[in-house]
Tab-separated table of all heavy atoms in Angstrom:
chain	number	residue	atom	x	y	z
K	27	PRO	N	103.131	81.354	122.801
K	27	PRO	CA	103.229	82.641	122.116
K	27	PRO	C	104.169	83.578	122.955
K	27	PRO	O	103.942	83.703	124.140
K	27	PRO	CB	101.922	83.113	121.789
K	27	PRO	CG	101.083	82.573	122.957
K	27	PRO	CD	101.685	81.174	123.242
K	28	ASP	N	104.860	84.510	122.278
K	28	ASP	CA	105.566	85.482	122.876
K	28	ASP	C	104.550	86.491	123.293
K	28	ASP	O	103.699	86.946	122.404
K	28	ASP	CB	106.595	86.200	121.947
K	28	ASP	CG	107.831	85.285	121.815
K	28	ASP	OD1	108.019	84.465	122.599
K	28	ASP	OD2	108.610	85.509	120.929
K	29	VAL	N	104.712	87.069	124.530
K	29	VAL	CA	103.703	88.132	124.888
K	29	VAL	C	104.335	89.351	125.443
K	29	VAL	O	105.561	89.232	126.093
K	29	VAL	CB	102.616	87.676	125.899
K	29	VAL	CG1	101.868	86.401	125.354
K	29	VAL	CG2	103.295	87.174	127.243
K	30	ASP	N	103.692	90.529	125.342
K	30	ASP	CA	104.131	91.704	126.122
K	30	ASP	C	102.881	91.850	127.088
K	30	ASP	O	101.699	91.737	126.746
K	30	ASP	CB	104.185	92.857	125.264
K	30	ASP	CG	105.397	92.860	124.367
K	30	ASP	OD1	106.277	92.058	124.589
K	30	ASP	OD2	105.532	93.790	123.583
K	31	ILE	N	103.175	92.162	128.307
K	31	ILE	CA	102.143	92.509	129.315
K	31	ILE	C	102.493	93.905	129.988
K	31	ILE	O	103.589	93.918	130.414
K	31	ILE	CB	101.766	91.468	130.361
K	31	ILE	CG1	101.517	90.175	129.672
K	31	ILE	CG2	100.845	91.892	131.254
K	31	ILE	CD1	101.499	88.897	130.647
K	32	TYR	N	101.556	94.798	129.718
K	32	TYR	CA	101.979	96.124	130.339
K	32	TYR	C	100.775	96.801	130.822
K	32	TYR	O	99.604	96.360	130.472
K	32	TYR	CB	102.711	97.033	129.370
K	32	TYR	CG	101.992	97.334	128.053
K	32	TYR	CD1	101.011	98.398	127.948
K	32	TYR	CD2	102.184	96.559	126.940
K	32	TYR	CE1	100.394	98.722	126.819
K	32	TYR	CE2	101.539	96.816	125.815
K	32	TYR	CZ	100.681	97.885	125.645
K	32	TYR	OH	100.000	98.160	124.539
K	33	GLU	N	100.890	97.802	131.658
K	33	GLU	CA	99.936	98.435	132.159
K	33	GLU	C	99.758	99.934	131.630
K	33	GLU	O	100.708	100.556	131.448
K	33	GLU	CB	100.094	98.791	133.662
K	33	GLU	CG	99.626	97.503	134.603
K	33	GLU	CD	99.862	97.747	136.064
K	33	GLU	OE1	99.182	98.806	136.596
K	33	GLU	OE2	100.514	97.082	136.730
K	34	THR	N	98.414	100.287	131.490
K	34	THR	CA	98.215	101.670	131.184
K	34	THR	C	97.378	102.243	132.462
K	34	THR	O	97.265	101.615	133.340
K	34	THR	CB	97.378	101.818	129.929
K	34	THR	OG1	96.031	101.377	130.162
K	34	THR	CG2	97.812	101.182	128.689
K	35	SER	N	97.053	103.453	132.314
K	35	SER	CA	96.415	104.046	133.612
K	35	SER	C	95.108	103.268	133.992
K	35	SER	O	94.787	103.143	135.111
K	35	SER	CB	96.149	105.479	133.352
K	35	SER	OG	95.317	105.684	132.243
K	36	ASP	N	94.454	102.778	132.893
K	36	ASP	CA	93.177	102.230	133.403
K	36	ASP	C	92.981	100.681	132.951
K	36	ASP	O	92.093	100.017	133.304
K	36	ASP	CB	91.964	102.902	132.629
K	36	ASP	CG	92.060	102.981	131.149
K	36	ASP	OD1	93.054	102.222	130.599
K	36	ASP	OD2	91.080	103.373	130.552
K	37	SER	N	94.076	100.210	132.389
K	37	SER	CA	93.974	98.656	131.887
K	37	SER	C	95.291	97.980	132.011
K	37	SER	O	96.402	98.650	132.194
K	37	SER	CB	93.560	98.752	130.402
K	37	SER	OG	92.388	99.408	130.224
K	38	LEU	N	95.108	96.688	132.023
K	38	LEU	CA	96.240	95.953	131.890
K	38	LEU	C	96.113	95.273	130.384
K	38	LEU	O	95.124	94.911	129.993
K	38	LEU	CB	96.217	94.727	132.795
K	38	LEU	CG	97.354	93.668	132.971
K	38	LEU	CD1	98.572	94.360	133.475
K	38	LEU	CD2	96.896	92.554	133.975
K	39	MET	N	97.221	95.460	129.657
K	39	MET	CA	97.243	94.986	128.259
K	39	MET	C	98.032	93.762	128.018
K	39	MET	O	99.153	93.651	128.621
K	39	MET	CB	97.792	96.166	127.334
K	39	MET	CG	97.063	97.432	127.406
K	39	MET	SD	95.387	97.532	126.838
K	39	MET	CE	95.684	97.285	125.085
K	40	LEU	N	97.567	92.858	127.295
K	40	LEU	CA	98.290	91.634	126.869
K	40	LEU	C	98.346	91.637	125.318
K	40	LEU	O	97.252	91.654	124.645
K	40	LEU	CB	97.656	90.444	127.528
K	40	LEU	CG	98.462	89.180	127.184
K	40	LEU	CD1	98.104	88.111	128.365
K	40	LEU	CD2	97.934	88.369	125.874
K	41	VAL	N	99.586	91.515	124.804
K	41	VAL	CA	99.680	91.530	123.310
K	41	VAL	C	100.527	90.163	123.170
K	41	VAL	O	101.572	90.026	123.612
K	41	VAL	CB	100.562	92.622	122.878
K	41	VAL	CG1	100.628	92.725	121.348
K	41	VAL	CG2	99.765	93.947	123.249
Side-chain angles (χ1 to χ4, degrees):
Chain K
D28 286 344
V29 301
D30 286 352
I31 300 171
Y32 57 87
E33 275 183 58
T34 65
S35 55
D36 62 354
S37 302
L38 187 66
M39 303 290 294
L40 184 149
V41 185

